[in-house]
Amino acid sequence: MKAHRTTARTHDTAAPGALGLRLSYAGIGIFMAFTWIGEGDAPAWDHALRTLAILLLLPPVLLRTNRRLLHNLYEAARPAPVIAQLITARLVIITAAFGASNLLGHLLDPHAARSPVMPAVGLLILLLSIPVQIRRAHRLRARDIHPSARPDLSAPRVMLAKLALVAAALLTQLLLGAYVDGATFVAAAAIAITTAALGPRVHHRLLVSGNPTVTREPVGDGV
């Protein structure tokens, strides 16, 4: 494997593929829907507070950690240890955010009956995503453009967008709760559909520009 040195160049960064972007936002929508359903028949405000707890914890920590480790991955001579760190960090941060959300649910209603099914499904999804994460990490490393030069998601913008979505879901569940059985699931479905449909359209508004593009050139064999 070759080590690399970086050189600065200025040119436009390539946007992610349309299909990949749609699949990413569909996955995010499903993830948020699972989060919303987590407490089953709990009141709408309970769902909203738990989702907000994840919202406030996850984007700032996860995006910053992801950016730093992708930077290290791009410049590392041996990618395997950095990929392991990247995936481990993601799993720990996401698990901690869900743990905080569940703890908040227990504090809000200590006597509520809670099924272990949803947490188990969420953990299974995380574990099944590991091969996809490894593949994506290798593909990102193979690009010529340095991570610091690519447009990246802004944590404040992501949080504001999700806050608006959570507020809309809360309003939907409150309005439907008196008339429809299973309003929780209707709100969760609305979250998933809205995120999948509108996410790719507003994606560019959630990005912040990177620095002048840095590309790398081989300078010798790594160990």
Side-chain angles (χ1 to χ4, degrees), residues 169-211:
L170 175 60
L171 181 60
T172 298
Q173 185 166 336
L174 289 174
L175 291 175
L176 293 179
Y179 308 101
V180 178
D181 291 334
T184 297
F185 298 96
V186 175
I191 289 174
I193 294 171
T194 302
T195 303
L198 297 184
R201 299 183 184 182
V202 302
H203 178 74
H204 66 285
R205 297 180 180 273
L206 305 178
L207 298 175
V208 290
S209 298
N211 298 319

Side-chain angles (χ1 to χ4, degrees), residues 140-188:
L140 286 170
R141 177 178 161 80
R143 294 181 182 178
D144 290 334
I145 302 171
H146 195 279
S148 63
R150 303 172 194 155
D152 203 358
L153 288 170
S154 164
R157 296 181 187 181
V158 170
M159 292 168 70
L160 285 174
K162 290 186 176 181
L163 179 61
L165 188 59
V166 169
L170 175 60
L171 181 60
T172 298
Q173 185 166 336
L174 289 174
L175 291 175
L176 293 179
Y179 308 101
V180 178
D181 291 334
T184 297
F185 298 96
V186 175

Side-chain angles (χ1 to χ4, degrees), residues 30-54:
I30 294 172
F31 178 84
M32 291 189 68
F34 268 102
T35 303
W36 191 268
I37 295 172
E39 294 292 326
D41 294 329
W45 57 265
D46 188 300
H47 293 280
L49 285 177
R50 287 185 303 95
T51 305
L52 284 175
I54 293 178

Side-chain angles (χ1 to χ4, degrees), residues 32 39-40 43 47 59 64 66 70 84 91 94-95 105 127 135-136 154 162 171 181 183 190 194:
M32 291 189 68
E39 294 292 326
H47 293 280
R64 186 172 182 175
N66 195 64
L70 284 178
L91 294 179
I94 292 173
T95 302
L127 294 177
R135 181 181 178 186
R136 289 192 64 184
S154 164
K162 290 186 176 181
L171 181 60
D181 291 334
T194 302

Side-chain angles (χ1 to χ4, degrees), residues 118-130:
M118 296 306 297
V121 170
L123 179 60
L124 178 61
I125 292 174
L126 282 178
L127 294 177
L128 291 176
S129 73
I130 290 177

Side-chain angles (χ1 to χ4, degrees), residues 66-149:
N66 195 64
R67 188 180 301 116
R68 177 175 60 82
L69 288 176
L70 284 178
H71 185 284
N72 294 343
L73 172 63
Y74 192 87
E75 296 183 348
R78 299 178 60 190
V82 186
I83 292 176
Q85 293 176 29
L86 176 64
I87 294 175
T88 301
R90 288 172 176 171
L91 294 179
V92 169
I93 292 169
I94 292 173
T95 302
F98 270 92
S101 173
N102 289 333
L103 176 60
L104 179 60
H106 281 282
L107 293 175
L108 291 171
D109 189 357
H111 305 294
R114 292 175 173 85
S115 170
V117 174
M118 296 306 297
V121 170
L123 179 60
L124 178 61
I125 292 174
L126 282 178
L127 294 177
L128 291 176
S129 73
I130 290 177
V132 177
Q133 292 188 57
I134 294 174
R135 181 181 178 186
R136 289 192 64 184
H138 281 291
R139 292 180 64 182
L140 286 170
R141 177 178 161 80
R143 294 181 182 178
D144 290 334
I145 302 171
H146 195 279
S148 63

